Amino acid sequence: MSVYDGLFLLDGLQENEKREIISALPEAVEFKKGEIVYSPESFRRAIGFVKSGSVSAVTNNSQQMVMKRIYAGSCFGAAAVFGTADAYVSTVSAAESSDICFITEETLVSLFEKHPVTAVNYIAFLSDRIRFLNKRLSVISCSDAENTVLKYLTLSADDNGYAVIPVSMTELSKMLGLGRASLYRSLEALEKRGSIIRENNKIKVTEK
């Protein structure tokens, strides 16, 4: 199984088409842990595909909230291409030693022309990002810590009501713009009032 199986642009293509596209992609660039990949002042007009490792996207405001952790097989940087913005929307840094393949605007245009389904895949990718940001904004706009945590868990829960937190409590607190102590107090308060049930690394959401 290739790491490129996670590249959204390849969805719906034949195997020979996938191999052709992958072989034409540039070599990955290595970033050490903590090294900045994209910043408001310095970024590439390209989508970054994480071949190995992971990166974190942090807001550029004073709170510096972690918006998302992007792992191997996933992409970031859609806001850097097909536009005239002179500043990137967040700061992306390597959460660990990572290899990133940068797919430029020129490469994307060529793909869209030769394989129209990749353009549809790109639009779907952008739509997913918009939905994700809308969810994040709904969490950030909550009036207090307990509601913020409950909203996050509700949005993260599967069809059975279970939310799995993929990051540490420290990173989650940064994502939600809360202190660790406030996060723990909120979880305890929500459990006490019966809004959630903690089961090992999973949380059952009973109140929505």
Side-chain angles (χ1 to χ4, degrees):
M1 182 177 179
S2 168
V3 67
Y4 285 107
D5 289 340
L7 180 56
F8 70 90
L9 291 168
L10 304 181
D11 291 347
L13 293 176
Q14 299 296 322
E15 288 303 317
N16 63 314
E17 294 174 317
K18 292 180 180 180
R19 288 193 295 270
E20 177 189 345
I21 292 171
I22 292 171
S23 65
L25 293 177
E27 291 293 323
V29 179
E30 182 181 359
F31 290 87
K32 303 298 184 183
K33 181 178 180 180
E35 192 173 355
I36 300 297
V37 183
Y38 278 13
S39 73
E41 301 80 17
S42 178
F43 61 95
R44 308 178 191 219
R45 297 289 181 181
I47 289 177
F49 177 76
V50 184
K51 286 191 66 177
S52 66
S54 62
V55 299
S56 292
V58 180
T59 59
N60 292 324
N61 57 22
S62 58
Q63 291 179 305
Q64 292 190 315
M65 293 172 58
V66 178
M67 297 175 63
K68 192 175 185 181
R69 181 86 169 262
I70 301 106
Y71 295 91
S74 298
C75 293
F76 64 90
V81 294
F82 301 118
T84 58
D86 56 4
Y88 191 61
V89 295
S90 63
T91 297
V92 179
S93 59
E96 56 188 311
S97 181
S98 304
D99 291 322
I100 312 295
C101 174
F102 293 100
I103 306 172
T104 65
E105 286 186 4
E106 292 78 11
T107 299
L108 289 170
V109 170
S110 177
L111 284 176
F112 297 165
E113 292 175 346
K114 189 170 184 178
H115 305 283
V117 70
T118 61
V120 177
N121 292 340
Y122 185 78
I123 293 170
F125 175 78
L126 292 179
S127 297
D128 286 342
R129 299 286 74 75
I130 291 171
R131 282 191 288 270
F132 168 77
L133 289 174
N134 284 338
K135 289 180 179 180
R136 291 290 293 124
L137 286 173
S138 69
V139 171
I140 294 170
S141 63
C142 289
S143 58
D144 57 56
E146 286 182 29
N147 284 333
T148 297
V149 175
L150 182 59
K151 184 73 171 180
Y152 170 80
L153 293 174
T154 300
L155 292 172
S156 302
D158 60 21
D159 293 339
N160 296 316
Y162 283 96
V164 178
I165 300 175
V167 295
S168 68
M169 288 294 107
T170 297
E171 191 161 357
L172 179 60
S173 67
K174 291 180 181 178
M175 288 175 62
L176 300 179
L178 304 172
R180 282 191 63 190
S182 181
L183 173 60
Y184 281 112
R185 283 196 301 269
S186 297
L187 288 170
E188 290 173 1
L190 290 170
E191 188 172 31
K192 186 174 182 180
R193 81 184 195 199
S195 299
I196 63 172
I197 300 173
R198 285 193 274 188
E199 301 177 5
N200 298 321
N201 68 323
K202 297 191 298 183
I203 296 178
K204 171 76 171 181
V205 180
T206 58
E207 175 189 328
K208 298 184 179 180

